[in-house]
Amino acid sequence: AEKAPAGLREGMKVNIGNGAKRMQSVVYKINHDGSIVLDVNPPLAGNTLIFDIEFVGFREVDRGMSIMGWGGQPVTVPFAIASSPVSQALQDRKWPAEWPYSKFDFRRQDETDDALFYGSPRLVSHIDDGAIGAIRKFYEVHFSQAPQDDYAVLDICSSWISHYPENLRAKRVAITGMVEEELAANKQASEYHVKDLNTDPKLPFGDGEFDFVTNVVSVDYLIKPREIFTEMHRVMKPGGVAIMSFSNRCFPNKAISMWVADMSDGPGHCKIVGDYFRFGPEGGWENICSV
């Protein structure tokens, strides 16, 4: 097998491609002429899975939470599950005395230029309809507290959709993101700014310009979160609200290492983002909570 790399054996796992196109495969066969047959199917492909499921009980759900909203006013979120581990993750939390993370926590599988990975427009939804609906309802609860037709919102790491309510009544909707074609397609935005916050976390706005700062399913990709959250605080008006939404979906090769260490740890992810608020800037944010 002259064409096969030295040491390659049938059954070995290998990666093919680069960057966003990298995928794992298995060496299925090495032919006599040196050519290689690779199997790129997922491990369970072609198998029929049969499960036995036994219902053992259910847990009572405590719905409804009161949290701090715009202008320091309490706001009720009627659909929030108050008894969930996520909603309780930051309650009575003993915050770290100092910034608890190192540069190793922000390493990624793919450290190539983000512009290469995100360069092609992705005009798709990265979360399902249920999640989008829940985020829109949450935004609506908060936005309704501010003077209608007179408040300003900023969506960072944005795209062609900001998941804002369809009846949004903001005076200004600014968005930042990496792909101009996606930003230009955002119908709710009144302005957009092409910006790679992992390269330069400085936001292109003055102090105290926004009532709300939002982000959907991108906080797990930030490698300079402390600087970015400090910038969010700088451009926020006194009494404003910042909302970070995230899920258990991501591009694992571009998400930071401590995030993908356990993708099922929702409360743990809340504590990570809570620390970003706590230390970006230190003592700058108040009423940090998770829902």
Side-chain angles (χ1 to χ4, degrees), residues 65-104:
M65 288 181 63
S66 178
I67 60 178
M68 199 60 67
W70 182 87
Q73 305 174 67
V75 59
T76 298
V77 185
F79 47 86
I81 303 177
S83 56
S84 77
V86 164
S87 295
Q88 297 175 354
L90 302 181
Q91 293 181 9
D92 302 318
R93 178 153 191 238
K94 184 178 181 180
W95 298 101
E98 57 186 22
W99 179 245
Y101 307 114
S102 72
K103 63 180 181 180
F104 301 105

Side-chain angles (χ1 to χ4, degrees), residues 110-157:
D110 180 3
E111 293 286 8
T112 59
D113 189 346
D114 287 347
L116 299 175
F117 184 85
Y118 298 108
S120 299
R122 294 181 173 92
L123 301 179
V124 298
S125 297
H126 296 285
I127 49 179
D128 59 34
D129 291 343
I132 292 174
I135 292 172
R136 281 180 172 157
K137 287 196 299 181
F138 190 73
Y139 283 155
E140 190 167 20
V141 166
H142 278 282
F143 293 172
S144 66
Q145 299 292 101
Q148 298 304 287
D149 303 314
D150 195 41
Y151 63 90
V153 297
L154 167 63
D155 193 35
I156 65 171
C157 306

